[in-house]
Amino acid sequence: MKKFKVGLVGAGGVSELHLEGYKANPERVAITAICDPNAEVLFSRTEKYGIEQRFTDLNDFIQNSGVDAAVVCTPTSIRKQVVIPLLEAGIPLLVEKPFSDTLSDAAAITEKAKQLNVPVAVNQNFRRHYPFEIVKNMVAEQTIGKVTMIIFNEMFFRQDSGWRLDQERHALSVMGIHWFDGFRQVLGCEAESVACIMNSSDAVSCKGETDATVQLRFENGSIVTYTQSFSSRISRTEMIVIGEKGTVRCNHNRVELSLPGDQQPSRVWENQYSREQNSLDNLEQLLSWVETGTIASNSAEDNLKTVAMLDAAYRSAADSQIVRLNSGIKI
């Protein structure tokens, strides 16, 4: 198994999620370089994780780091201007989610990667951290029959700092991107319509929305109702999947299956898969793609449909109307 020299572009808070996760497989991943214009943050990361090369300039990183692949952890507001030069240099990429805030930029990145034949994967690190995969398999095996509805609620108090405060797209861009992707995984098909309303609470200091409710209809007829709050003093994350033969309830750590006649759940699964583990798994999918040529399930092209749902939610809220999608992409 080849050992890859991997570099990080962006040394902010999310970079530690990757650096901690990659420590679990040093035979496969060697972090040899990191790039960030903030010299103080850059020094902190290199000292803590023993990274040999540090760069404050992206072009210097591209020309001199000698990496086999790169992980992009920059703010989404500068994502496109960072990703395109890396692609033009032929460097395979794992990009933090959302890999772009807007559908137009995401499409441009995806098209550029296809033109240059450079693999780009997206770090959807909740695919297994939240037990979407367990529920996905249950749905695929018809354990609960045809899914008629998913009800998903996430509420907690979150006060961000730094660059996120100035972004027009906030709560859904930060967390909704996980859940939109998860709904696609569970149902095994794409959304065909999106309706959204949103607010921004004075309890949280930020430019964008703090609270939103989204309703989606999927190609198989399933309806999803999703509520997100960053201003709640009560914390809860719960997904209920209602099928014609049974119902599933889950949070980050537990999945419960209830069938007709049950007084208690028929079966319970425990989920302890961390975001760090999931980030390593997402990188491994990219590296396997590089080695085999087989497109990874977390490819930018696949994730474009998740970004389309996010973009449609914002457009729906702005225009007070339902946004239609075709094969997961906005019409």
Side-chain angles (χ1 to χ4, degrees), residues 82-95:
V82 169
V83 167
I84 296 299
L86 289 164
L87 290 176
E88 291 174 339
I91 301 174
L93 301 177
L94 176 67
V95 182

Side-chain angles (χ1 to χ4, degrees), residues 83-144:
V83 167
I84 296 299
L86 289 164
L87 290 176
E88 291 174 339
I91 301 174
L93 301 177
L94 176 67
V95 182
E96 256 302 320
K97 59 79 207 167
F99 78 103
S100 178
D101 273 334
T102 66
L103 180 58
S104 59
D105 278 2
I109 292 169
T110 303
E111 184 58 31
K112 189 72 170 180
K114 288 175 66 176
Q115 290 174 358
L116 297 171
N117 195 30
V118 179
V120 178
V122 180
N123 187 42
Q124 285 291 168
N125 59 36
F126 273 56
R127 284 191 176 183
R128 295 176 70 183
H129 172 56
Y130 201 83
F132 289 122
E133 188 169 283
I134 296 173
V135 181
K136 169 187 174 180
N137 292 336
M138 225 183 302
V139 171
E141 293 164 3
Q142 289 288 301
T143 303
I144 61 171

Side-chain angles (χ1 to χ4, degrees), residues 246-313:
T247 300
V248 175
R249 179 169 60 186
C250 59
N251 56 27
H252 283 285
N253 303 316
R254 183 180 174 91
V255 179
E256 298 176 349
L257 168 64
S258 294
L259 298 173
D262 284 347
Q263 299 299 315
Q264 298 293 330
S266 294
R267 189 173 175 189
V268 174
W269 292 258
E270 299 295 333
N271 184 57
Q272 301 295 334
Y273 203 87
S274 72
R275 290 191 301 153
E276 290 80 3
Q277 288 174 291
N278 210 163
S279 294
L280 175 60
D281 179 65
N282 276 279
L283 178 60
E284 175 55 38
Q285 289 183 62
L286 172 69
L287 302 184
S288 295
W289 182 0
V290 172
E291 287 181 318
T292 67
T294 301
I295 298 174
S297 63
N298 62 341
S299 69
E301 190 166 7
D302 171 79
N303 209 251
L304 190 61
K305 296 175 181 178
T306 298
V307 176
M309 294 167 67
L310 176 68
D311 194 75

